[in-house]
Amino acid sequence: MSPLSLDLSPDLFPALTEAQADPDGPGAQRPALRFGDRSLTYGELAATASPLAARVAEAGRIAVWATPTLETAVAVVAALLAGVPAVPLNPKSGESELGHIVSDSAPTLALAAPGTQLPPALAALERLDIDTSAPTTSLPSPGAPDPESPALIVYTSGTTGPPKGAVIPRRAIATTLDALADAWQWTGDDVLVHGLPLFHVHGLILGILGPLRRGGSVRHLGRFETAGVTRELGEGGATMLFGVPTMYHRIAETLPDDPALAKALSRARLLVSGSAALPVHDHERIAQATGRRVIERYGMTETLMNTSVRADGEPRAGTVGVPLPGVELRLTEEDGTTAVEAYDGETVGEIQVRGPNLFTEYLNRPEATAAAFTEDGWFRTGDMAVRDPDGYVRIVGRKATDLIKSGGYKIGAGEIENALLEHPGVREAAVTGEPDADLGERIVAWIVPTDPQSPPTVDELADHVARRLAPHKRPRVVHHLDALPRNDMGKIMKRALTHD
Ligand code: MCA
Ligand code: AMP
């Protein structure tokens, strides 16, 4: 794909700037954000976020307690206006995960909705309540930050160790959103609906900052429910739906008994799935019931979006489409540098990408950053794919078996193993992912109990992991073994860990 000229303007939200400059103009009256029965127009968002931006402007970094609420959206917009990097925190994070993120990212302020109780890991930080009741006068926001400056630090799991903070510059956010606008013909007239969490790229950057960059609006469901999708895409007149495959699976399961859902989906301009592979079976069931084909796009926390099926392209099941404008994509052989030239739908290679959509670095992890790139500057995604003759990319697997995608969340086996080993009833532990119709993959723990006579139960271990890390990282299945299968080097042979 030839690179498109992309607008690297430091002004991430022109519609907001316009509303701020002309608070009585028509642009200021346009809807921007809606969460349940609470909403803000562009004028109200400017009036709310700019004083908050002025208040946080001197902070080094700010932590945002990223509940799925209006407050989170306002706080992140304020941070971006101020040019202060924001660290969105999963409000369900357990103590050890939160402790790690806070000490690694060292924020100086914690922003949270009024009345929210913050956990002890944030107790040492100065707290600032996010006030969404718009004051009468709006303050000028501090100057226009450098496009290369960090906008967000988003924590993402690796195969081993605690999550790493991916530093995402303003430039990457602007370019990825503009490339998606090109691919999806996404405009200010679009109304997006979703129920994604706001502490990851999908829900926050695509799902909140995306509509705001276009001057359009988003309606967040608070939590994903098919009834909300029916309401917003049906009578509500929303035009786009974003979701992870688990959400589309739940839609596909509901459709046979829910004609109103089918009708609402059939009215949508665009149904988009991402964060994990959408099973062909779910794609086809939705197509059959609604006449609409879900479009898949492929991205990563570190790269933002790389490829997508285009709105004006053929929405084929099982493919993530073509590279987005500005994104260079290559497949490489096992050595990680020799390019796979074939466009034959058969030859598998690792996806590597280059472009203005990429992150800058892993915070405080120069070695991990260096290891993530080839010498000539390509980012190694670890995803394995083939290319069809027309350039469509099909993801066929992952290089690392120790990364699990469950419900669209990336989860490292190593961090769960470490958490399990902290349980007194666990002597040895190994974690694998196995296919799950709803979650894509479910987390399976294989443990050698300290006392074989009274091994810890699945609920006990699930609670233990949920409390330390996060509920979505909890094992759903636990197997007890006398010993873990190991090779001569003492390395656990995960391939031998199967049911039979
Ligand atoms: C159950 N729960 C527990 C426990 N057991 N809580 C604590 N301890 C326990 N032992 C609670 C859960 O917290 C949750 O609470 C409820 O029970 C149900 O949990 P679960 O079955 O795990 O999940 P779910 O609610 O059914 O969630 C499915 C989901 C979710 C909605 C699809 O997985 C989801 O939101 N996924 C989105 C992930 C995502 O955004 N990924 C993007 C990464 P409660 O009901 O109160 O919540 S960015 C990315 O990948 C790249 C860039 C890309 O390409 O997009
Ligand atoms: P994360 O690190 O949470 O941002 O997850 C990124 C990973 O999600 C990628 O490396 C892929 O393995 C996976 N992924 C994202 N979108 C898709 C998709 N449409 N199809 C298959 N895998 C995907």
Side-chain angles (χ1 to χ4, degrees):
M1 273 241 125
S2 64
L4 189 95
S5 97
L6 294 161
D7 174 18
L8 293 184
S9 139
D11 182 3
L12 284 173
F13 310 117
L16 202 60
T17 310
E18 187 194 319
Q20 200 170 9
D22 183 10
D24 298 320
Q29 314 307 321
R30 286 174 62 86
L33 301 167
R34 198 170 88 192
F35 287 73
D37 54 8
R38 302 171 68 215
S39 59
L40 292 177
T41 61
Y42 275 89
E44 290 164 341
L45 179 57
T48 309
S50 65
L52 190 57
R55 288 188 68 183
V56 302
E58 298 304 316
R61 287 188 196 119
I62 60 172
V64 177
W65 193 244
T67 50
T69 59
L70 196 56
E71 278 80 5
T72 299
V74 169
V76 172
V77 169
L80 290 166
L81 291 178
V84 173
V87 188
L89 300 174
N90 175 357
K92 286 190 185 160
S93 283
E95 62 216 24
S96 104
E97 182 163 295
L98 207 52
H100 161 70
I101 294 175
V102 171
S103 71
D104 189 53
S105 61
T108 53
L109 262 181
L111 267 62
T116 316
Q117 186 154 9
L118 295 180
L122 298 176
L125 299 183
E126 187 189 337
R127 176 192 174 130
L128 187 56
D129 278 350
I130 306 156
D131 181 5
T132 56
S133 55
T136 44
T137 50
S138 97
L139 301 175
S141 358
D146 178 352
E148 288 304 317
S149 64
L152 292 169
I153 298 164
V154 179
Y155 278 79
T156 182
S157 293
T159 49
T160 56
K164 301 187 284 281
V167 178
I168 301 174
R170 304 171 74 83
R171 168 259 297 157
I173 295 176
T175 51
T176 220
L177 294 176
D178 293 352
L180 291 177
D182 178 80
W184 297 344
Q185 296 162 9
W186 188 358
T187 73
D189 291 333
D190 278 305
V191 177
L192 171 66
V193 56
H194 71 89
L196 292 156
L198 300 187
F199 46 86
H200 275 309
V201 164
H202 195 169
L204 182 61
I205 298 187
L206 273 60
I208 299 289
L209 306 183
L212 295 180
R213 181 147 174 94
R214 298 275 73 78
S217 69
V218 52
R219 298 185 192 158
H220 195 281
L221 298 173
R223 58 179 298 148
F224 174 80
E225 274 168 345
T226 54
V229 173
T230 305
R231 186 182 63 243
E232 297 301 343
L233 286 176
E235 282 171 16
T239 62
M240 298 167 86
L241 173 68
F242 288 177
V244 295
T246 300
M247 295 169 181
Y248 285 102
H249 174 76
R250 292 180 185 180
I251 285 174
E253 291 282 293
T254 310
L255 277 171
D257 306 316
D258 192 344
L261 176 61
K263 194 166 165 215
L265 288 167
S266 67
R267 290 167 62 165
R269 188 178 77 74
L270 219 56
L271 307 174
V272 186
S273 174
S275 305
L278 179 68
V280 171
H281 178 55
D282 290 331
H283 178 114
E284 294 299 351
R285 287 195 291 172
I286 293 171
Q288 204 163 28
T290 68
R292 305 310 307 268
R293 289 197 172 271
V294 178
I295 275 182
E296 273 198 84
R297 94 303 180 277
Y298 155 66
M300 265 182 104
T301 303
E302 292 89 335
T303 66
L304 305 187
M305 295 304 115
N306 296 314
T307 72
S308 183
V309 171
R310 297 181 59 88
D312 55 4
E314 189 197 338
R316 241 175 279 156
T319 163
V320 295
V322 294
L324 287 165
V327 178
E328 286 181 87
L329 182 148
R330 71 177 188 184
L331 301 185
T332 60
E333 291 177 11
E334 195 67 40
D335 65 5
T337 48
T338 312
V340 170
E341 303 295 346
Y343 282 76
D344 58 2
E346 273 178 25
T347 313
V348 178
E350 181 192 358
I351 301 178
Q352 296 187 347
V353 289
R354 219 161 49 171
N357 53 316
L358 263 54
F359 75 140
T360 326
E361 59 171 346
Y362 294 115
L363 190 67
N364 307 324
R365 301 289 300 275
E367 281 165 23
T369 306
F373 288 89
T374 64
E375 270 178 18
D376 47 350
W378 293 82
F379 177 76
R380 309 171 201 267
T381 67
D383 292 309
M384 307 302 289
V386 301
R387 269 174 315 202
D388 286 343
D390 56 5
Y392 272 50
V393 176
R394 289 174 189 275
I395 296 174
V396 297
R398 256 190 319 264
K399 228 173 164 179
T401 49
D402 275 352
L403 282 180
I404 300 163
K405 264 274 162 166
S406 188
Y409 289 110
K410 182 155 87 177
I411 303 162
E415 56 178 322
I416 309 175
E417 287 159 1
N418 289 339
L420 287 170
L421 287 169
E422 286 173 25
H423 190 283
V426 176
R427 189 147 58 89
E428 288 186 83
V431 165
T432 58
E434 67 183 19
D436 185 280
D438 182 47
L439 296 170
E441 286 182 286
R442 62 176 161 261
I443 295 170
V444 182
W446 308 79
I447 64 153
V448 178
T450 316
D451 176 3
Q453 303 309 316
S454 63
T457 64
V458 62
D459 287 347
E460 211 177 324
L461 293 177
D463 285 348
H464 172 84
V465 173
R467 250 195 333 271
R468 272 181 171 59
L469 304 178
H472 65 264
K473 297 183 177 176
R474 70 189 190 274
R476 310 280 173 142
V477 180
V478 174
H479 297 291
H480 300 134
L481 302 174
D482 295 334
L484 293 179
R486 292 182 187 271
N487 64 14
D488 292 346
M489 312 289 289
K491 192 171 180 299
I492 300 168
M493 295 190 295
K494 293 210 173 171
R495 290 226 177 85
L497 293 171
T498 54
H499 283 304
D500 26 36

